[in-house]
Amino acid sequence: MTVRLPHPFAFLLSAILIAAALTWVLPAGQYNRRNDPATGRVVAVPGTYHGVPASPVGPFAAFVAVPRGFIAAADVIAVTLFVGGAFVVVDRLGTLSRLVAVIASTFRGRGLWAVAAVSLVFATLGGLENTEEEIIPLVPVLLLLGRSLGVNAIVVVAMSFGASMVGSAFSPVNPFQAAIAMKLAQVPLGAAFAMRVGMFALAAILWTAWTIGYASRNRTDIIAATSSENVRLTLREVAILLAVIGPLCAYVVGALRLDWGFNELGGLLFFGGMLAGFVGGLRLAETVTAFLEGAQSLLPATLLIGLARSISLVLTDGQIIDTILHALATPLESVSAGASAILMIPLHSIVHILVPSVSGQAVLTMPILVPLSDLLGLSRHVPVLAYQTGAGLMELLTPTNGALMSVLLAANVRYEQWLQFAIGGWTLGTLVGIGAIAAVLWLRIA
């Protein structure tokens, strides 16, 4: 019998209430915090966990956490709306439909090769700049592409969002995951670079192979995107695409070199959307109307993002996140170094359900697990790889990932359907992470 979960909105709202209930059951506790000059962030101080007065979150405070979650996630919500607005302007010009037609024409009769190509593109985007929310407004055009290739909505989510999450997790340069974790562990960004590139490539290939295998077993009727045999983009259409792709490229450079964040990405895409309308020949009023309609279409997605952030706020208000981390990390001191290295992966997976921000989790956990690794005689690569595998890959599964739930909602894929597919690919990715940790231990990479 198939279990059917409630609507994502109801699901996340229930999770907020469960989080509030936990604040009444678990003891409150905290680590001391300090400013970290390497990252400019406030981090936990290992060995300083202590109990604090209980501060349980009542029903009213739990509901107040919902609008607070929207405020806390304001930068993510804003960039989601700006991305939606920009791409709807491009879609209004017919350029996205033409792009789908070009891809379908290029891979006519070889749809699974297109799945591979799209998967590797999104894995690369994820690896460069942790692409998540940016995918939400692309779901309608990706679904159109999927129909033209003869694949279902699960494959569409897998070759876009799923591939991006795998790429994000194992990227050697992702500024929001690997780069932060390596800075906190005081590991040079280019250290063991060949191994990390190999890990990224292997994980992306395995996820793509898993997606293609599922797609080949679940083909759908092909709905042609165009009746033309040879479809080509015009110079104007190329210019329109560059108007929105260019800002994304600029953002990747800015994130890696100038510490840019979501605000800069939102500003770039707002400019890109306006520029696309101008290049496409729309009047200013028409461009603004299309932009606003695009942003409006993503309001359900932003609701889920805000709700997901609210869960973490409730746990923070109840002062039990550190308690949970302390309870998970303490047993690692009593097992062998090898076992501790591997067990860091499920530790990160569990914590990530409660702390859905990968960068936020790095700040919380790395200062605790890096000294523990030193105590056990482990390379500092180990806690970084465990974090990437446990937290990064958990983005594929956790319902507290607002972007995941938003993409599934937009693609009309039920969460339980996605889990049935994704758990296999997640397992393959986890094995890659375990293999990388084993290689570090075996080769004694410092």
Side-chain angles (χ1 to χ4, degrees), residues 77-92 96 133-141 288-305 405-411:
I77 290 173
V79 79
T80 301
L81 296 175
F82 285 137
V83 171
F87 277 98
V88 165
V89 171
V90 177
D91 186 50
R92 185 64 49 85
L96 290 181
E133 289 81 6
E134 298 91 328
I135 297 173
I136 299 169
L138 298 179
V139 172
V141 70
V288 171
T289 298
F291 194 95
L292 293 177
E293 289 177 0
Q296 184 179 11
S297 68
L298 287 178
L299 286 177
T302 60
L303 288 174
L304 297 181
I305 293 169
M405 302 303 281
S406 298
V407 169
L408 295 179
L409 180 65

Side-chain angles (χ1 to χ4, degrees), residues 11 27 36 73 84 92 109 116 122 138 155 161 170 267 277 287 304 361 373 402 414 416 435 438:
F11 189 89
D36 180 69
R92 185 64 49 85
F122 275 98
L138 298 179
V155 175
F161 188 87
F170 290 116
T287 302
L304 297 181
Q361 180 167 339
S373 298
R414 297 198 306 274
E416 60 272 21

Side-chain angles (χ1 to χ4, degrees), residues 128-433:
L128 289 174
E129 63 101 8
N130 209 69
T131 304
E132 286 192 65
E133 289 81 6
E134 298 91 328
I135 297 173
I136 299 169
L138 298 179
V139 172
V141 70
L142 288 169
L143 289 172
L144 178 61
L145 174 61
R147 288 192 290 270
S148 69
L149 299 175
V151 298
N152 64 23
I154 291 177
V155 175
V156 168
V157 176
M159 69 183 185
S160 55
F161 188 87
S164 181
M165 293 305 92
V166 172
S168 298
F170 290 116
S171 167
V173 296
N174 183 349
F176 300 101
Q177 290 193 43
I180 288 179
M182 294 175 79
K183 281 184 180 179
L184 290 168
Q186 296 181 339
V187 174
L189 189 59
F193 193 74
M195 182 197 75
R196 291 179 171 279
V197 171
M199 181 176 64
F200 167 82
L202 179 58
I205 290 170
L206 287 175
W207 177 267
T208 300
W210 181 259
T211 302
I212 290 175
Y214 175 87
S216 66
R217 297 189 302 271
N218 296 271
R219 300 306 300 269
T220 62
D221 293 335
I222 295 176
I223 301 176
T226 178
S227 59
S228 175
E229 289 294 321
N230 296 300
V231 184
R232 296 289 183 269
L233 292 175
T234 66
L235 288 177
R236 172 175 281 193
E237 288 167 337
V238 170
I240 291 169
L241 289 173
L242 288 176
V244 292
I245 295 174
L248 292 176
C249 296
Y251 173 70
V252 170
V253 176
L256 291 173
R257 299 193 175 189
L258 303 174
D259 199 29
W260 282 5
F262 283 118
N263 289 334
E264 287 78 8
L265 177 59
L268 286 169
L269 284 166
F270 179 76
F271 170 77
M274 296 296 106
L275 179 61
F278 173 77
V279 173
L282 293 179
R283 295 193 301 271
L284 178 60
E286 294 172 326
T287 302
V288 171
T289 298
F291 194 95
L292 293 177
E293 289 177 0
Q296 184 179 11
S297 68
L298 287 178
L299 286 177
T302 60
L303 288 174
L304 297 181
I305 293 169
L307 282 176
R309 186 63 63 89
S310 301
I311 298 170
S312 180
L313 287 179
V314 169
L315 296 172
T316 300
D317 290 345
Q319 302 188 93
I320 61 172
I321 287 183
D322 288 6
T323 297
I324 296 170
L325 174 61
H326 179 71
L328 292 171
T330 300
L332 298 183
E333 301 177 5
S334 59
V335 299
S336 68
S340 177
I342 301 303
L343 289 174
M344 286 183 189
I345 294 176
L347 180 154
H348 278 292
S349 297
I350 295 170
V351 171
H352 195 62
I353 298 173
L354 309 175
V355 186
S357 165
V358 283
S359 58
Q361 180 167 339
V363 170
L364 173 65
T365 60
M366 297 307 293
I368 308 301
L369 296 180
V370 169
L372 175 61
S373 298
D374 291 343
L375 180 67
L376 296 172
L378 295 171
S379 164
R380 290 194 172 191
H381 284 288
V382 169
V384 174
L385 292 171
Y387 156 78
Q388 289 181 264
T389 305
L393 285 182
M394 200 61 185
E395 292 277 86
L396 290 167
L397 304 180
T398 176
T400 58
N401 181 354
L404 168 63
M405 302 303 281
S406 298
V407 169
L408 295 179
L409 180 65
N412 196 28
V413 173
R414 297 198 306 274
Y415 177 61
E416 60 272 21
Q417 290 177 314
W418 172 250
L419 282 184
Q420 291 173 2
F421 162 79
I423 195 72
W426 171 84
T427 302
L428 292 174
T430 300
L431 292 175
V432 171

